[in-house]
Amino acid sequence: MKRQSVTEILRQADETLFSFEVLPPLKGKSIDQIYKTIDRLLPFHPAFIEVTTHRSDYSYREVMPGQYVRIEDRLRPGTVAVSCAIKQKYNVPVVPHIICSGNTRQETENELIDLAFFDIFDLLVLRGDKSKADNRFIPKEGGWSYASELCCQINEFNSGRLLFGDSHDMLAGGRAFSYGVAGYPEKHDEAMSPQADMDALKKKVDMGAGYIVTQMFFDNRKYFNFVERCQKAGIDIPIVPGLKPLGTLNHRTMLPRTFHIDFPDRLVGKLQRCETNDDVKKVGVEWCIRQCQELKEAKVPCLHFYTMNAAAAIESIMTEVKGGKGKV
């Protein structure tokens, strides 16, 4: 029996679903921490689990006194491997991130071939971050500059075409890759204007994106306004809110700086009174619970969590939102 794609699951949902994202382990670490996160959240019946991808970056190592070589290094390898492991261990749809950043077109094609071989056909398509050494995004030689170009390559693959005019027959049984893309309620930090950002999103939707997962936000009004602007732009696919429970004092400055988001004034007031990580965690869980309750009342398609090792907090949030473990 053909398994539903995440796009189909979200479109056909008659109640708010639950999903979350995991990070591949740091190089040299085992997958056990991911399994512990999934085991803890599995009782809440996730509709899907995303697996992030982190670009390779460059560092310099001294090979002899005064002589250095530049090497390519990936701190969190194995998105395809981790996705395959989760698929085999758990009966939950898995969604690996496919990114432009740090990849050539051929490397992307190789990932698609591997994923098709392992019967994984759900993707989240992203441009990815710039290199730490660059002040703007620069694609790897032979790679893509925009997520829309990556969508085009996936569409070509779905049509049976590989790079350089070759063909393939790997999509047996009528399977094809289905993908979602990212959306930014507070605007992508590199977009020249909110309208330019919306135009870029609409282009990806027109190319075949089946759903949108938003960047984290802490003011639900920004999500609702974003959904309204999408609808006015002719975007009618499911828009999944991305959520992150605050957990450390560092989050007060790191999250706004890294993800180019703002905290609402009421939350800022609460965070300014926090003196310990536990204080922030308490505020973060309570705030996220209220966010989820309001979003659920608005009948959003899914509540999607960026775990970042916060499985315990998410467990507390979902227990409160669901009124116990079970369906929302």
Side-chain angles (χ1 to χ4, degrees), residues 105-118:
R105 301 170 197 180
Q106 186 62 62
E107 287 168 335
T108 296
E109 183 174 280
N110 292 341
E111 286 189 333
L112 297 177
I113 291 171
D114 288 345
L115 290 168
F117 181 81
F118 285 102

Side-chain angles (χ1 to χ4, degrees), residues 51-70:
V51 182
T52 67
T53 296
H54 295 260
R55 66 163 292 148
S56 296
D57 228 315
Y58 297 99
S59 61
Y60 291 85
R61 293 188 184 176
E62 190 173 19
V63 293
M64 59 178 16
Q67 183 176 341
Y68 293 82
V69 294
R70 191 175 81 156

Side-chain angles (χ1 to χ4, degrees), residues 203-260:
K203 181 176 182 179
K204 290 179 284 188
V205 172
D206 290 344
M207 295 186 75
Y211 60 97
I212 296 165
V213 180
T214 77
Q215 176 63 278
M216 68 179 72
F217 58 89
F218 293 86
D219 184 344
N220 284 354
R221 291 175 300 178
K222 294 186 177 180
Y223 169 81
F224 295 132
N225 290 340
F226 176 69
V227 171
E228 184 178 348
R229 289 191 290 115
C230 286
Q231 292 171 343
K232 289 180 178 178
I235 295 173
D236 63 354
I237 60 177
I239 301 176
V240 176
L243 302 163
K244 164 67 182 161
L246 296 165
T248 68
L249 290 167
N250 186 45
H251 282 165
R252 298 184 300 181
T253 55
M254 184 273 285
L255 292 181
R257 180 178 67 250
T258 303
F259 297 100
H260 306 279

Side-chain angles (χ1 to χ4, degrees), residues 14-29:
D14 56 5
E15 58 189 355
T16 298
L17 304 174
F18 160 67
S19 63
F20 61 93
E21 174 183 291
V22 296
L23 285 73
L26 288 168
K27 188 168 60 177
K29 302 292 185 180

